């Protein structure tokens, strides 16, 4: 058959399969897949290119269709196509491998077993921007499924070259590099430590501080995964000013998905110790988290992330100034964590107790309506035990009114006015007598 007819037929099959899983299934049911696979063995690179493209469009829909392509024996042929000298064929073959491997671990294992990773790693050194992007996406789709697959990519020695691609002029390449870094470091402490050791935190923070919104997201998630594994890695993120840049995003962005990812990353950083929580608190992040949580326009996912992050950070926070800022607007489910920290700090810190009174914290605590037997009530009782009874009564609701009532009901016990006047008169008379006596003398 003429190569032009083959390419035209493959274009038609691709155009049908691209729209929906149902149409792609129809192509397979009518023996279209067998025809496509045969074309993948054609000598003409243009036919192979059209074939790889059609396979990618079928595989991308779901894992069942991707499995059908694997069962037809397409993966080894795609790996061979990746080794061809034609640039477009390399690009589309890498894209097809990405479409197959992204669905589940079994499909990704098939791609790895076919020997794709060394050739993908080699293709990364090609200067073509589109090929770089497709290779990075294919590697990330493999790495995301398991520790073993992530380690197989590390063994291909694509790092630290991937980190260098985070500074690439093309935003799509930058995003794909960040995605691969995220998929590697999310699995284990050892993999995250490896990324950190080759300068991963600095590259990710730089990307977060300089890139556009869509490019930032995988970098923010990567920072969150790294910080979540170990307190020392979280300290390294703080030392690289990661918290500062995340705080900036929190205050400047309006997209709920971006905010949710950022809030999650902040929670991963601040959850370890009081030192980590203080770094978050000093950046004035806690009031913003509370504001987002209380905002009725926030998505449910964002509210859930804020709730979790506040819980994680507050349970470690011993920074009293930050805790006090949350006393007045926190709902009960957040307030219990705030008061829980005060119940740990106040019994041992006289300065904190004084500050708690003068800033209005004790007064606010007395106004809280807690259910009998609740954790919140227990914390309130512990806090009240840190102060003299008269101070607690003074700041209790209704205490000024009770003072006024006591004034009204008080019966004066002072001597009568007549007795005072008589006493004054006798004093005056005695002074007069003494004066006369002195004159006579």
């Amino acid at each position: 058959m003429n190569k032009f007819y083959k390419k035209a037929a493959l274009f038609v099959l691709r155009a049908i399969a691209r729209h929906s899983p149902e149409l792609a299934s129809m192509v397979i049911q009518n023996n279209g897949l067998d025809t496509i696979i045969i074309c993948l063995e054609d000598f003409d690179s243009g036919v192979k290119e059209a074939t790889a493209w059609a396979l990618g469009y079928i595989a991308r829909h779901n894992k069942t269709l991707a499995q059908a392509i694997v069962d037809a024996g397409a993966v080894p042929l795609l790996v061979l196509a990746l080794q061809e000298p034609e640039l477009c064929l390399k690009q589309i073959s890498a894209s097809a491998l990405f479409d197959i491997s992204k669905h589940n671990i079994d499909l990704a294992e098939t791609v790895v077993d076919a020997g794709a990773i060394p050739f993908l790693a080699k293709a990364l050194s090609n200067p073509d921007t589109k090929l770089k992007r497709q290779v990075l996406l294919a590697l990330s789709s493999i790495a995301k499924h398991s520790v073993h697959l992530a380690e197989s990519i590390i063994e291909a020695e694509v790092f630290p070259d991937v980190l260098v691609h985070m500074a690439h002029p093309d935003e799509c390449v930058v995003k794909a590099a960040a995605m691969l870094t995220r998929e590697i470091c999310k699995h284990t402490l050892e993999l995250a430590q490896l990324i950190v050791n080759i300068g991963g935190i600095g590259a990710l923070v730089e990307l977060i501080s300089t890139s556009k919104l869509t490019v930032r997201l995988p970098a923010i998630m990567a920072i969150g995964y790294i910080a979540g594994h170990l307190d020392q890695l979280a300290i390294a993120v703080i030392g690289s000013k990661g918290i500062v840049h995340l705080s900036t995003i929190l205050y400047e962005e309006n997209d709920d998905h971006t905010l949710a990812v950022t809030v999650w990353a902040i929670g991963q950083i601040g959850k370890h110790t009081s030192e980590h929580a203080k770094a978050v608190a000093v950046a004035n992040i806690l009031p913003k988290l509370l504001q987002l949580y209380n905002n009725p326009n926030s998505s449910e996912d964002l509210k859930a992330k804020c709730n979790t992050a506040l819980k994680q950070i507050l349970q470690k926070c011993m920074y009293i100034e930050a805790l006090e800022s949350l006393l007045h607007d926190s709902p009960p489910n957040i307030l219990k964590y705030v008061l829980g920290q005060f119940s740990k700090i106040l019994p041992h810190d006289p300065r904190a107790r004084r500050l708690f009174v003068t800033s209005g914290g004790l007064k606010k605590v007395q106004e809280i309506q807690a259910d009998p037997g609740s954790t919140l009530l227990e914390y309130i009782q512990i806090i009240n035990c840190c102060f003299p009874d008269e101070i607690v009564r003074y700041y209790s609701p209704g205490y000024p009114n009770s003072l006024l009532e006591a004034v009204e009901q008080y019966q004066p016990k002072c001597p009568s006015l007549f007795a005072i006047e008589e006493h004054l008169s006798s004093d005056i008379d005695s002074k007069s007598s003494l004066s006369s006596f002195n004159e006579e003398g």
Side-chain angles (χ1 to χ4, degrees):
M1 186 185 291
N2 187 299
K3 66 179 181 180
F4 297 106
Y5 286 117
K6 288 181 180 180
K7 287 194 282 188
L10 289 165
F11 175 80
V12 172
L13 292 173
R14 184 181 87 215
I16 293 171
R18 68 181 296 179
H19 293 290
S20 70
E22 292 76 20
L23 289 172
S25 296
M26 290 178 65
V27 170
I28 294 175
Q29 291 164 10
N30 289 277
N31 299 320
L33 184 57
D34 295 334
T35 303
I36 293 172
I37 296 297
I38 292 171
C39 291
L40 195 55
E41 299 182 78
D42 197 279
F43 289 107
D44 185 77
S45 63
V47 174
K48 289 182 180 179
E49 181 184 326
T51 304
W53 212 337
L55 290 172
Y57 272 114
I58 294 171
R60 69 180 53 178
H61 288 296
N62 58 48
K63 62 183 180 181
T64 302
L65 294 173
Q67 187 64 54
I69 289 174
V70 169
D71 294 341
V75 172
L77 296 173
L78 287 170
V79 174
L80 285 174
L82 188 63
Q83 302 170 53
E84 296 285 347
E86 288 80 13
L87 183 60
C88 288
L89 183 55
K90 287 179 180 289
Q91 294 169 349
I92 298 169
S93 299
S95 177
L97 290 172
F98 160 66
D99 289 324
I100 293 169
S101 60
K102 69 181 182 180
H103 294 291
N104 62 34
I105 186 171
D106 294 329
L107 291 167
E109 288 275 11
T110 302
V111 172
V112 173
D113 292 342
I117 289 181
F119 298 108
L120 287 169
K122 183 179 179 181
L124 188 59
S125 61
N126 191 294
D128 182 71
T129 297
K130 185 176 179 181
L131 180 56
K132 286 180 180 292
R133 181 171 74 248
Q134 297 300 343
V135 166
L136 289 166
L137 288 174
L139 291 173
S140 64
S141 71
I142 294 170
K144 71 180 183 179
H145 294 294
S146 72
V147 176
H148 169 67
L149 292 174
E151 288 175 344
S152 67
I153 290 172
I154 292 294
E155 290 168 1
E157 299 181 352
V158 294
F159 285 90
D161 193 27
V162 173
L163 301 183
V164 176
H165 282 76
M166 288 190 199
H168 195 276
D170 185 83
E171 287 186 1
C172 293
V173 172
V174 172
K175 183 177 180 180
M179 290 172 63
L180 176 54
T181 305
R182 176 193 68 192
E183 302 302 346
I184 293 291
C185 67
K186 76 178 184 181
H187 290 291
T188 65
L189 170 59
E190 290 73 22
L191 288 172
Q193 186 72 63
L194 185 148
I195 297 297
V196 172
N197 291 345
I198 58 175
I201 291 178
L204 290 166
V205 171
E206 180 68 18
L207 176 57
I208 292 170
S209 65
T210 57
S211 299
K212 293 183 179 179
L213 175 61
T214 55
V215 181
R216 285 175 173 177
L217 284 179
I220 294 170
M221 293 181 70
I223 284 290
Y225 282 127
I226 290 171
H229 283 300
L230 185 68
D231 57 347
Q232 294 175 352
L233 297 184
I235 286 292
V237 171
I238 294 169
S240 299
K241 298 187 177 179
I243 281 289
V244 175
H245 296 300
L246 292 177
S247 175
T248 301
I249 293 173
L250 207 59
Y251 277 93
E252 292 182 354
E253 296 296 339
N254 297 314
D255 176 63
D256 275 12
H257 179 60
T258 304
L259 290 172
V261 171
T262 305
V263 167
W264 169 81
I266 290 170
Q268 295 300 301
I269 295 169
K271 70 180 183 179
H272 295 285
T273 68
S274 59
E275 183 181 355
H276 296 79
K278 184 176 181 179
V280 174
V282 168
N284 201 33
I285 288 175
L286 296 181
K288 183 62 177 179
L289 294 182
L290 185 60
Q291 178 190 335
L292 292 172
Y293 180 76
N294 289 332
N295 188 345
N297 296 323
S298 295
S299 66
E300 291 303 315
D301 181 51
L302 177 55
K303 288 183 178 181
K305 294 288 194 303
C306 288
N307 182 32
T308 302
L310 283 167
K311 176 182 175 181
Q312 289 174 323
I313 297 166
L314 288 174
Q315 286 180 321
K316 299 294 182 180
C317 185
M318 304 296 281
Y319 187 53
I320 191 167
E321 288 83 357
L323 294 171
E324 285 185 340
S325 67
L326 304 180
L327 267 179
H328 299 281
D329 298 318
S330 296
N333 60 316
I334 301 296
L335 191 60
K336 69 178 180 181
Y337 297 111
V338 178
L339 295 186
Q341 294 308 104
F342 276 119
S343 70
K344 298 174 186 176
I345 297 170
L346 295 177
H348 312 290
D349 191 339
R351 176 186 167 277
R353 291 197 293 271
R354 180 185 181 89
L355 183 62
F356 192 66
V357 172
T358 56
S359 64
L362 185 59
K363 183 176 184 297
K364 174 61 182 176
V365 168
Q366 307 314 311
E367 297 170 355
I368 297 171
Q369 301 295 322
D371 296 330
S374 65
T375 305
L376 191 60
L377 181 60
E378 181 181 342
Y379 288 147
I380 292 173
Q381 291 171 343
I382 293 173
I383 291 170
N384 286 342
C385 288
C386 298
F387 300 93
D389 291 342
E390 57 269 24
I391 296 295
V392 175
R393 286 197 304 271
Y394 179 80
Y395 286 105
S396 298
Y399 185 72
N401 293 332
S402 64
L403 286 178
L404 292 175
E405 289 176 6
V407 169
E408 292 175 357
Q409 297 173 5
Y410 184 72
Q411 296 297 325
K413 298 178 181 180
C414 52
S416 65
L417 182 60
F418 177 76
I420 292 174
E421 290 179 346
E422 187 177 74
H423 180 69
L424 289 172
S425 298
S426 62
D427 283 348
I428 291 170
D429 291 341
S430 60
K431 288 180 180 178
S432 299
S433 301
L434 182 59
S435 177
S436 301
F437 177 77
N438 290 335
E439 287 176 359
E440 290 176 0

